[in-house]
Amino acid sequence: QVPVVESGGGLVQAGGSLRLSCTGSGLVSGLPLGNFALGWFRQAPGQEREGVSCIKVYGETIYYVDSVKGRFTISRDNAKNTLYLQMNSLKPEDSAMYYCAAVGHCSLSRGAVNPLHAWGQGTLVTVSS
């Protein structure tokens, strides 16, 4: 069972904004989502999945891949077991399926690694030029 549900994707023009949400729908190793470092990943057609951003439990470490720095903001509400990704100044190259996951590690050097569960259905972001 996949313990997360992603939402908030859609079609937007370049320069526009979207806010993605990831809600915990189950437990990870018997614990709610709010107990874990969380990450956003994306996969464009024909490309490998890449880590976009991650955040530790209390926000003490936040990582962004270089291509989204200054445009995307990750945040979380542990009481609601929800992760967010505010995406501004969107570019066509941001188009992808976006996934969230509880991860084993989130660091400034490597980003999000070791997803702890199967991937959810994702939410599709399409940015038109």
Side-chain angles (χ1 to χ4, degrees):
Q1 184 178 2
V2 177
V4 296
V5 177
E6 301 95 342
S7 62
L11 173 63
V12 63
Q13 289 186 333
S17 299
L18 286 172
R19 188 192 195 204
L20 306 185
S21 297
C22 167
T23 302
S25 58
L27 301 177
V28 179
S29 300
L31 296 172
L33 204 63
N35 288 267
F36 299 91
L38 301 174
W40 283 103
F41 302 78
R42 66 186 180 186
Q43 186 170 22
Q47 298 186 19
E48 294 187 354
R49 200 184 321 253
E50 70 165 343
V52 175
S53 181
C54 66
I55 182 170
K56 284 191 174 179
V57 175
Y58 300 110
E60 63 269 36
T61 296
I62 292 177
Y63 163 90
Y64 298 101
V65 69
D66 285 347
S67 59
V68 308
K69 285 181 180 177
R71 301 187 297 120
F72 290 12
T73 302
I74 192 171
S75 62
R76 62 189 293 165
D77 185 333
N78 292 337
K80 295 181 179 180
N81 286 315
T82 302
L83 174 71
Y84 304 99
L85 187 68
Q86 177 67 43
M87 305 187 298
N88 298 328
S89 302
L90 282 161
K91 304 176 180 180
E93 51 263 43
D94 294 318
S95 297
M97 190 70 79
Y98 283 71
Y99 303 88
C100 65
V103 295
H105 299 282
C106 171
S107 68
L108 294 179
S109 58
R110 299 180 63 193
V113 296
N114 188 24
L116 299 177
H117 53 78
W119 297 106
Q121 63 181 11
T123 186
L124 181 63
V125 172
T126 304
V127 184
S128 63
S129 58

